[in-house]
Amino acid sequence: MGNKLLLQDLIDRLSESGKLKKKDAEQFLRAFFKVIEESLFQGEVVKIQGLGTFKLLKVDARKSVSVSTGEEFQIDEHYKISFIPESSLKELINKPFSHLEPVDLGQVAENTSLLTEMGQTDKADFSEERSNVKSKEFEPEKKSKKAEPNIVKGEEIDIDIDRRNIENKTVQSVHDLEESPEEIVGSSHHRTIIIWAVFALIVVSLAIWAYLSNSAAKKDDIRKEEAIEAYENGQKENAIQQMDTLTGFVEDSLINDSITKAKKNGEEQEKAKVTVPKASKHKTKTSGTGVQVSNPADIATETMKQGGRLTLMALKYYGNKVFWVYIYEANKDKITDPNNIPVGTKIRIPKPDSTKINARDSECIVKAKSLQTRILSK
Amino acid sequence: MDEAQTTELVKLTASAIADILAEANTLAIKGFGTFEVKKQEERISVNPATGNRWMIPPKLVPVFKPSSLFKDKLKTRGDHGQ
């Protein structure tokens, strides 16, 4: 065991087992190795039964870097001697470990949990969005916490026609994500773990939300972000409005889409339901044009257009979309559902009351948000 | 020595070498190289198609290392008929 044997030992063994003298054995072995060597040099492949195959392998020229000087130098093309043991020899040598078999460890653990987490995150988002405003506070924090799906989500908040696209895509991807772990995992044990993970995630999400609603300082930053995003989206919206008819068509087809998808599975149905009212919300359109001043208390009057929204008007006139609630208050008589305002409705934009409407004041925004919650929960 | 004898001797030699290695010994032949047994550590491999992970157990593998003399000869003989 672990001894280093030399040619002499091989000679001894050979002469013991065989019928030849030590001298002959030595002669034979020397010739044996010599033949192998010579044959290799002639480019032959030498196969010895019960042992293995010797052959020369060509190593292509390559560049390398000198370890000491860091200089590049060329390693020339050369040959190396390779020995491939026969499987019988391999088995013989591996006897001590032959009882070991490869073990299937199943699905890569991180993948599974990641998939569930992604699926779950979206679920949480949807439920949050049902209670509406809250999700806006919720989102940015989650963005940092759980990467991808939230980024998509975060953009979604900033109402746009593109948004429906994103939403539909998200629904689809959620569908994919939810199916895949089940396909792969298979075992009921894993399912239980997933269910627990999902449950834990919901609890964590709620805790984060509770924390956020109490932290005014953080919200301030978030609101700034929102305002910027909303502004960008507002610009996009203007461009899109020029293609009213087209977008209307796209919209309808998208809604239909989400309904069809909803039929696919129960869980998704739930989400799609959320998607549909959302889509219709954006039907609540306003035009950026046709501004008239008819009432001295108003700064403008807008006509609701395809693709228009109260939030966009609020952003345009008051600097933050959350102040749409005041536009709604001023037009309560004409608007039955703030999420679905008929095209052509004249919307009065009241003069902003600086104590209530001030995009730079976080308290105003908080008030508007609570008002928004009340209006939307009606 | 005729062919049949030689064949037998080669077989004997091969089994002798195999025995030496099976006993976890190292066999060094001057001017030719060294036969030894190496332990390949266990590892985890992932099936890229299914994503399943497999624990590959450790194993013992026979290894041949040509001697430096052999390698030098290889270098000096530029043409290997390939």
Side-chain angles (χ1 to χ4, degrees):
Chain A
M1 271 279 210
N3 294 327
K4 190 167 184 180
L5 306 185
L6 300 170
L7 182 65
Q8 194 55 52
D9 302 287
L10 189 61
I11 293 167
D12 290 344
R13 284 190 185 229
L14 207 60
S15 57
E16 274 165 31
S17 60
K19 312 115 199 169
L20 72 170
K21 292 176 198 154
K22 278 196 179 175
K23 222 179 183 183
D24 293 334
E26 184 177 346
Q27 221 177 3
F28 168 77
L29 284 174
R30 285 191 193 281
F32 174 76
F33 291 116
K34 185 117 187 136
V35 166
I36 294 176
E37 207 178 300
E38 289 299 320
S39 308
L40 281 175
F41 285 150
Q42 277 156 33
E44 285 174 51
V45 175
V46 183
K47 187 173 178 183
I48 293 157
Q49 218 155 59
L51 203 63
T53 311
F54 295 91
K55 65 178 165 187
L56 290 185
L57 285 182
K58 192 175 160 185
V59 181
D60 285 332
R62 64 172 193 271
K63 275 187 181 152
S64 184
V65 177
S66 163
V67 184
S68 49
T69 63
E71 274 172 48
E72 264 193 21
F73 67 98
Q74 181 90 11
I75 297 176
D76 290 332
E77 180 190 290
H78 60 279
Y79 290 88
K80 68 175 180 188
I81 302 144
S82 102
F83 169 68
I84 301 151
E86 238 176 43
S87 50
S88 63
L89 179 66
K90 278 207 256 181
E91 275 168 34
L92 181 72
I93 285 169
N94 197 38
K95 235 176 200 162
F97 287 162
S98 58
H99 60 282
L100 297 173
E101 296 261 315
V103 186
D104 189 354
L105 301 177
Q107 185 61 27
V108 181
E110 301 98 58
N111 265 4
T112 342
S113 61
L114 192 70
L115 287 171
T116 22
E117 199 173 276
M118 288 166 101
Q120 177 48 35
T121 307
D122 274 10
K123 263 182 244 164
D125 282 356
F126 275 101
S127 61
E128 283 298 333
E129 273 175 359
R130 250 175 271 147
S131 64
N132 253 307
V133 206
K134 292 165 190 173
S135 64
K136 290 185 184 177
E137 295 167 15
F138 197 21
E139 231 71 48
E141 166 72 3
K142 278 211 273 171
K143 234 188 245 180
S144 57
K145 278 222 157 190
K146 300 154 212 156
E148 289 163 58
N150 290 301
I151 290 164
V152 179
K153 277 282 158 185
E155 286 164 7
E156 262 177 61
I157 310 170
D158 304 300
I159 21 157
D160 189 347
I161 287 183
D162 288 353
R163 171 189 176 160
R164 256 147 280 145
N165 275 329
I166 297 163
E167 225 158 28
N168 278 326
K169 274 180 210 154
T170 325
V171 170
Q172 207 159 17
S173 64
V174 169
H175 180 65
D176 294 340
L177 288 170
E178 278 169 354
E179 276 201 345
S180 35
E182 273 171 20
E183 280 165 13
I184 303 160
V185 174
S187 89
S188 61
H189 177 63
H190 279 172
R191 281 215 188 107
T192 332
I193 292 171
I194 290 165
I195 290 164
W196 276 107
V198 163
F199 179 72
L201 218 81
I202 293 170
V203 174
V204 170
S205 303
L206 286 173
I208 293 167
W209 175 75
Y211 169 74
L212 267 175
S213 7
N214 288 328
S215 135
K218 265 189 188 172
K219 267 187 247 164
D220 219 17
D221 287 344
I222 291 158
R223 247 168 256 125
K224 271 177 209 159
E225 250 172 63
E226 267 177 28
I228 294 162
E229 279 173 49
Y231 174 68
E232 283 165 356
N233 280 314
Q235 281 183 327
K236 258 192 247 165
E237 184 83 19
N238 281 343
I240 289 156
Q241 275 170 3
Q242 287 165 10
M243 309 183 292
D244 279 343
T245 356
L246 183 65
T247 44
F249 170 74
V250 171
E251 212 173 36
D252 286 346
S253 65
L254 283 172
I255 293 163
N256 285 345
D257 240 1
S258 51
I259 290 164
T260 350
K261 263 177 218 143
K263 283 169 190 163
K264 279 183 188 167
N265 83 37
E267 210 161 15
E268 210 170 299
Q269 218 164 19
E270 202 181 22
K271 283 167 196 166
K273 268 184 216 157
V274 184
T275 316
V276 176
K278 284 230 144 192
S280 59
K281 178 179 177 179
H282 310 310
K283 267 186 180 168
T284 337
K285 321 244 150 122
T286 345
S287 77
T289 58
V291 181
Q292 312 158 342
V293 182
S294 56
N295 185 326
D298 299 345
I299 49 169
T301 304
E302 294 255 358
T303 311
M304 189 54 90
K305 261 196 170 184
Q306 193 85 350
R309 245 164 277 145
L310 290 181
T311 48
L312 285 173
M313 288 187 228
L315 182 69
K316 183 179 168 189
Y317 291 101
Y318 303 151
N320 191 323
K321 31 181 199 130
V322 83
F323 297 128
W324 71 271
V325 289
Y326 298 113
I327 303 179
Y328 170 71
E329 296 276 307
N331 295 277
K332 254 184 183 168
D333 48 331
K334 282 171 261 172
I335 303 170
T336 45
D337 175 7
N339 282 340
N340 194 358
I341 304 170
V343 174
T345 312
K346 300 261 189 235
I347 307 287
R348 297 194 302 114
I349 310 290
K351 202 173 181 185
D353 177 352
S354 58
T355 57
K356 276 156 113 198
I357 301 174
N358 182 356
R360 292 177 176 277
D361 188 343
S362 57
E363 267 183 38
C364 289
I365 291 168
V366 173
K367 268 184 205 159
K369 278 194 176 171
S370 61
L371 190 56
Q372 178 177 256
T373 322
R374 251 182 288 141
I375 292 169
L376 291 172
S377 58
K378 269 178 202 169
Chain B
M1 239 203 285
D2 60 25
E3 208 173 303
Q5 271 180 305
T6 317
T7 314
E8 217 207 310
L9 272 181
V10 171
K11 269 189 194 167
L12 273 174
T13 314
S15 69
I17 296 175
D19 285 343
I20 291 171
L21 292 178
E23 290 159 23
N25 290 326
T26 305
L27 175 66
I29 312 288
K30 253 192 182 167
F32 185 73
T34 312
F35 293 93
E36 58 186 339
V37 175
K38 285 213 160 173
K39 187 189 172 197
Q40 216 171 66
E41 289 299 332
E42 62 187 44
R43 66 203 158 90
I44 286 167
S45 94
V46 180
N47 180 340
T50 62
N52 274 11
R53 295 200 299 176
W54 287 83
M55 228 275 289
I56 312 293
K59 60 181 172 185
L60 297 170
V61 284
V63 169
F64 169 71
K65 274 198 279 182
S67 74
S68 51
L69 192 71
F70 193 0
K71 286 199 264 186
D72 283 344
K73 274 192 201 166
L74 192 65
K75 260 187 211 166
T76 50
R77 299 205 188 185
D79 180 31
H80 308 300
Q82 288 188 6

